[in-house]
Amino acid sequence: MESLSIGYGRPHQDGAVLDLFTSWAHRTPQAPALIDGEHTHSYAELDRLADTVAEALRGKVGEGDLVGVCLGHSVELVAVTLAIAKLGAVHLPLGPRPGEKRLQAVAEQLRPACLVGEAAVLPAGGERLELELPAGGVLAALTPGEQAEVPAGTHYAVLTSGSTGTPKAVAVTEPALGALLQWYRELIGLGPGDRHSLLIGVSFDPHLLELWAGLTSGAALVVAPEAVRWDSGALTDWWREAGITACVLPTPLGEPILARPWPTGLALRHLFIGGDRLRRPAGPEVTATVHNGYGPAEATVVTTVHTMAPGGDHGAGAPPIGLPVPGAVLLVTDEQGRPVPRGTAGELRIGGRGLAAGYLDPGLTARRFVQAPPGVDGTDRVYRTGDRVVMRADGVLEFHGRLDDQVKVSGVRIEPAEVEAAFERDPRVRRAVVAAETAATGVRLLAFVQTEEDAEPAGLLDAVRPWLPEQAVPSTVRLVERFPLDANGKVDRAALLAAEPQAPVAVAEDGDTPVERTVLKLCRELLGRADLAPQDNFLDSGGNSLAAARLLEALEGEYGVRLRAPLVLRQPDLRAVARLVEERMPSASLS
């Protein structure tokens, strides 16, 4: 009889969240809990700050209330996160600059009881409270009206891209988060004396794993400098200087690290990578244990993991996404939801301990969280991921892409329909179609727009930026008269992409020096833009932090010149980037 594609994680262990932090605050009050540059904050200090914030909000924010947090990595973020947990409220991380219109849309859709952030970020209106925190300038804005229904026991909610044009909010319970943290702490041996990164973007759910893992283990969280988020050289330097022992990285930043010669003298023991498909294994010279994690927000950050021990031979191809974490139940199914034989591709469905309570939208919850098929133990419902996977005979999962139109850009899930809806909010736009194209730097988005009146692509992009996260802003906007249709009468995205101009630039625009020509060649390949010229600006031409990191890697390999991403991104054009390289090269190398 053929084995079916059903996998079970080992029995899970329950774990506390806030209570564990409180325990460490009493046991080791003076131990470092958060290190941010020159400033170190102890467990006792964070506990006092959190109590201060909670007291200011008490009576205005209560159990089950949704609190939107518009803060970046800082002591303020950690204190507010702890205060929300102390109040039994629900933490909704939005990032330090969610965009005025995006924030307004979230506020209207979810109606959180309170928003916390810098004064310039928060919308006008409602009662405002000044929170007593070290840096000052942080406010709470209380919003009137009834909030969206939040499932009982929810610890945090996190936004994912939504096909309706507004984000979906996933509700995760404290038991699900506690069990995940218990597993993660055991996996990497996290405890007092360790230094764990605080690096992942605040609105991206792995951030909650790294933040709470540090606070519940007695370890110290270390805030990553801004430069390390797009520069692998700066990242490894920071690991060494800060004595980082465990780090979580988004795949687009982690993958280049595995391609470089592994740095010496690192205290790093564990590197956890996730958020996108990992295309290369850990090399034999890597001295840290590398974990390739997979999991949607709807299943509490991590569902499967593949671990690569240091110094091992891990093959040459893309690593698998591995085996289920404790308490997880995995099914690979056909279109009718029936488990397929092992070795057969199908849709991954997830159940078990880590399953989220659902969305803050009961109708959407009913469509995506469905009844488990007969014969499956350990779960009565499963989440349909839309991911195409294969379960091998040994139970290990291999990732084979998406079943639908959803794509990942720089490790962040993007629903093209959400981007289209953002364009169509503009009265000048009749219709927008967004398609994904694979370039050397990964997936990039292109927007094809029909307009009611004359409009410039740059102006349309400027109008859409406030509605979208950075990764969802298309690199190119094309104005079209009409859309090609396929045999089913739907817009043919493949035909739109095939019609993209690929004409080479004229020789006169190919650069005046060898370095200029190399910079142009690299940027054309990275951005998928054959028409780039020396006078073009990197960011305006579709460049982002990931493409900048790849450009820096390539330039260092070509010339031995190491540049910092912020400096490169400030240059007015590609000719100026080439000049930076030339200035740092020995004069004999410029011939």
Side-chain angles (χ1 to χ4, degrees), residues 186-219:
E186 289 184 358
L187 177 74
I188 67 172
L190 190 63
D194 279 318
R195 293 189 168 198
H196 196 293
S197 62
L198 188 62
L199 181 152
I200 298 291
V202 171
S203 58
F204 192 23
D205 62 314
H207 155 73
L208 295 159
L209 169 65
E210 61 177 0
L211 184 146
W212 280 111
L215 295 178
T216 59
S217 66

Coordinates of all heavy atoms in Angstrom, one line a residue, residues 186-219:
E186 N 14.7 25.3 22.5 CA 15.4 24.0 22.6 C 16.3 23.7 21.4 O 17.4 23.2 21.5 CB 14.4 22.9 22.8 CG 13.7 22.9 24.2 CD 12.8 21.7 24.3 OE1 12.6 20.9 23.4 OE2 12.2 21.6 25.4
L187 N 15.7 24.1 20.2 CA 16.4 23.8 19.0 C 17.8 24.5 18.9 O 18.8 23.9 18.5 CB 15.6 24.3 17.8 CG 16.2 24.2 16.4 CD1 16.2 22.7 15.9 CD2 15.5 25.1 15.4
I188 N 17.9 25.7 19.4 CA 19.2 26.5 19.3 C 19.9 26.6 20.6 O 20.9 27.2 20.7 CB 19.0 27.8 18.7 CG1 18.2 28.8 19.6 CG2 18.3 27.7 17.3 CD1 18.1 30.2 19.1
G189 N 19.3 26.0 21.7 CA 19.9 26.0 23.0 C 20.0 27.4 23.6 O 21.0 27.8 24.2
L190 N 19.0 28.3 23.4 CA 19.0 29.7 23.7 C 18.9 29.9 25.3 O 17.9 29.3 25.8 CB 17.9 30.4 23.0 CG 17.9 31.9 23.0 CD1 19.2 32.5 22.4 CD2 16.7 32.5 22.4
G191 N 19.7 30.6 25.9 CA 19.6 30.9 27.3 C 20.5 32.0 27.7 O 21.1 32.8 26.9
P192 N 20.6 32.2 29.1 CA 21.4 33.3 29.6 C 22.9 33.3 29.0 O 23.5 32.3 28.9 CB 21.4 33.1 31.1 CG 20.2 32.3 31.3 CD 20.0 31.4 30.1
G193 N 23.4 34.5 28.7 CA 24.7 34.6 28.1 C 24.7 34.7 26.6 O 25.6 35.2 26.0
D194 N 23.6 34.2 26.0 CA 23.5 34.3 24.5 C 23.1 35.8 24.1 O 22.5 36.5 24.9 CB 22.4 33.4 24.0 CG 23.0 31.9 23.9 OD1 24.1 31.8 23.4 OD2 22.2 31.0 24.3
R195 N 23.4 36.1 22.9 CA 23.0 37.3 22.3 C 22.3 37.0 21.0 O 22.9 36.5 20.0 CB 24.2 38.2 22.0 CG 24.9 38.7 23.3 CD 26.0 39.8 23.0 NE 26.4 40.4 24.2 CZ 27.0 41.6 24.3 NH1 27.3 42.2 23.1 NH2 27.4 42.1 25.4
H196 N 21.0 37.4 20.9 CA 20.1 37.0 19.8 C 19.8 38.3 19.0 O 19.6 39.4 19.6 CB 18.8 36.4 20.3 CG 18.1 35.7 19.2 ND1 17.5 36.4 18.2 CD2 17.8 34.4 19.0 CE1 16.9 35.5 17.4 NE2 17.0 34.3 17.9
S197 N 19.8 38.2 17.7 CA 19.6 39.3 16.8 C 18.1 39.9 17.0 O 17.2 39.1 17.3 CB 19.7 38.9 15.4 OG 18.8 37.9 15.0
L198 N 18.0 41.2 16.9 CA 16.7 41.8 16.7 C 16.8 42.6 15.4 O 17.2 43.7 15.4 CB 16.3 42.7 17.9 CG 14.9 43.3 17.9 CD1 13.9 42.1 18.0 CD2 14.7 44.2 19.0
L199 N 16.4 41.9 14.3 CA 16.8 42.4 13.0 C 15.6 42.4 12.0 O 15.5 43.3 11.1 CB 17.9 41.5 12.4 CG 18.5 41.8 11.1 CD1 20.0 41.3 11.0 CD2 17.7 41.1 9.9
I200 N 14.7 41.4 12.1 CA 13.7 41.2 11.1 C 12.7 42.4 11.1 O 12.4 42.9 12.2 CB 12.9 39.9 11.4 CG1 13.8 38.7 11.3 CG2 11.7 39.7 10.5 CD1 14.2 38.3 9.9
G201 N 12.2 42.8 9.9 CA 11.3 43.9 9.8 C 10.1 43.7 10.8 O 9.5 42.6 10.9
V202 N 9.7 44.8 11.5 CA 8.8 44.7 12.6 C 7.4 44.2 12.1 O 6.7 43.5 12.9 CB 8.7 46.1 13.3 CG1 7.6 46.1 14.3 CG2 10.0 46.4 14.0
S203 N 7.0 44.5 10.9 CA 5.7 44.1 10.5 C 5.7 42.6 9.9 O 4.6 42.1 9.5 CB 5.2 45.0 9.4 OG 6.0 45.1 8.3
F204 N 6.8 42.0 9.9 CA 7.0 40.6 9.3 C 7.0 39.6 10.5 O 7.7 39.8 11.5 CB 8.3 40.6 8.6 CG 8.6 39.4 7.7 CD1 7.6 38.6 7.2 CD2 9.9 39.0 7.4 CE1 7.8 37.5 6.4 CE2 10.2 38.0 6.6 CZ 9.1 37.2 6.1
D205 N 6.1 38.6 10.5 CA 5.9 37.8 11.7 C 7.1 37.1 12.3 O 7.1 36.9 13.5 CB 4.7 36.8 11.5 CG 5.0 35.8 10.5 OD1 5.4 36.2 9.4 OD2 4.7 34.6 10.7
P206 N 8.2 36.8 11.6 CA 9.3 36.2 12.3 C 10.0 37.2 13.3 O 10.7 36.7 14.2 CB 10.3 35.9 11.2 CG 9.4 35.7 10.0 CD 8.3 36.6 10.1
H207 N 9.7 38.5 13.2 CA 10.1 39.4 14.2 C 9.6 39.0 15.6 O 10.4 39.2 16.6 CB 9.6 40.8 13.8 CG 9.5 41.8 15.0 ND1 10.6 42.3 15.6 CD2 8.5 42.2 15.7 CE1 10.3 43.1 16.6 NE2 8.9 43.0 16.7
L208 N 8.4 38.5 15.7 CA 7.8 38.2 17.0 C 8.5 36.9 17.5 O 8.6 36.8 18.7 CB 6.3 38.0 16.8 CG 5.6 39.2 16.4 CD1 4.2 38.9 15.8 CD2 5.4 40.1 17.6
L209 N 9.0 36.1 16.7 CA 9.8 34.9 17.1 C 11.1 35.4 17.8 O 11.4 35.0 18.9 CB 10.1 34.0 15.9 CG 11.1 32.8 16.2 CD1 10.6 31.9 17.3 CD2 11.4 32.1 14.9
E210 N 11.8 36.2 17.1 CA 13.1 36.6 17.6 C 13.0 37.5 18.9 O 13.7 37.3 19.8 CB 14.0 37.3 16.6 CG 13.4 38.6 16.0 CD 14.3 39.3 15.0 OE1 15.5 38.8 14.8 OE2 14.0 40.4 14.5
L211 N 12.0 38.4 18.9 CA 11.8 39.2 20.0 C 11.4 38.4 21.3 O 12.1 38.5 22.3 CB 10.7 40.3 19.7 CG 10.5 41.3 20.8 CD1 10.1 42.7 20.2 CD2 9.3 40.9 21.8
W212 N 10.4 37.6 21.2 CA 10.0 36.8 22.3 C 10.9 35.7 22.7 O 11.0 35.3 23.9 CB 8.5 36.3 22.1 CG 7.5 37.3 22.3 CD1 6.7 37.9 21.4 CD2 7.1 37.9 23.6 NE1 5.8 38.8 22.0 CE2 6.1 38.9 23.3 CE3 7.5 37.8 24.9 CZ2 5.5 39.6 24.3 CZ3 6.9 38.5 25.9 CH2 5.9 39.4 25.6
A213 N 11.6 35.1 21.7 CA 12.6 34.1 22.1 C 13.7 34.7 23.0 O 14.1 34.0 24.0 CB 13.2 33.6 20.8
G214 N 14.2 35.9 22.7 CA 15.1 36.5 23.6 C 14.6 36.8 24.9 O 15.2 36.4 26.0
L215 N 13.4 37.4 25.0 CA 12.8 37.8 26.3 C 12.4 36.7 27.2 O 12.3 36.9 28.4 CB 11.6 38.8 26.0 CG 11.9 40.1 25.3 CD1 10.6 40.9 25.1 CD2 12.9 40.9 26.1
T216 N 12.1 35.5 26.6 CA 11.7 34.4 27.4 C 12.8 33.4 27.7 O 12.5 32.4 28.3 CB 10.5 33.6 26.7 OG1 11.0 33.2 25.4 CG2 9.3 34.5 26.5
S217 N 14.0 33.7 27.3 CA 15.1 32.8 27.5 C 16.2 33.3 28.5 O 17.1 32.5 28.8 CB 15.8 32.5 26.2 OG 16.4 33.6 25.7
G218 N 16.1 34.5 28.9 CA 17.2 35.1 29.7 C 18.4 35.6 28.9 O 19.3 36.1 29.5
A219 N 18.3 35.5 27.6 CA 19.3 36.0 26.7 C 19.1 37.5 26.5 O 18.2 38.1 26.9 CB 19.3 35.3 25.4

